[in-house]
Amino acid sequence: MTDQQMREQEVRIARYRDLEREVTDPLAAHLLHGIVEELETELQKEREIERKLIPIS
């Protein structure tokens, strides 16, 4: 995942978090929460891969 894609993913996560706070339907909030968790997990994995590929001196 490129830096641009990571930034886009962060924006997507922020939008879903905002939606999660705004909805009043418990099912919708639960589904949005699940989406946020999945996107955050994917982003975290990509960051770990990035750290392993680019050693910090």
Side-chain angles (χ1 to χ4, degrees):
M1 189 178 278
T2 66
D3 287 340
Q4 177 67 26
Q5 290 171 321
M6 284 188 191
R7 282 191 295 274
E8 290 170 0
Q9 185 83 325
E10 290 169 349
V11 169
R12 195 173 301 118
I13 290 168
R15 286 182 183 155
Y16 280 119
R17 279 189 187 141
D18 288 342
L19 282 173
E20 184 183 6
R21 285 190 291 269
E22 292 174 12
V23 298
T24 57
D25 179 7
L27 178 58
H30 180 73
L31 293 172
L32 287 167
H33 184 75
I35 291 169
V36 168
E37 285 181 340
E38 287 180 22
L39 292 173
E40 287 177 332
T41 299
E42 180 182 327
L43 185 60
Q44 184 61 33
K45 286 179 185 176
E46 289 295 331
R47 287 180 174 153
E48 288 175 13
I49 290 169
E50 186 88 8
R51 275 191 289 253
K52 289 178 184 176
L53 293 177
I54 303 173
I56 299 175
S57 303

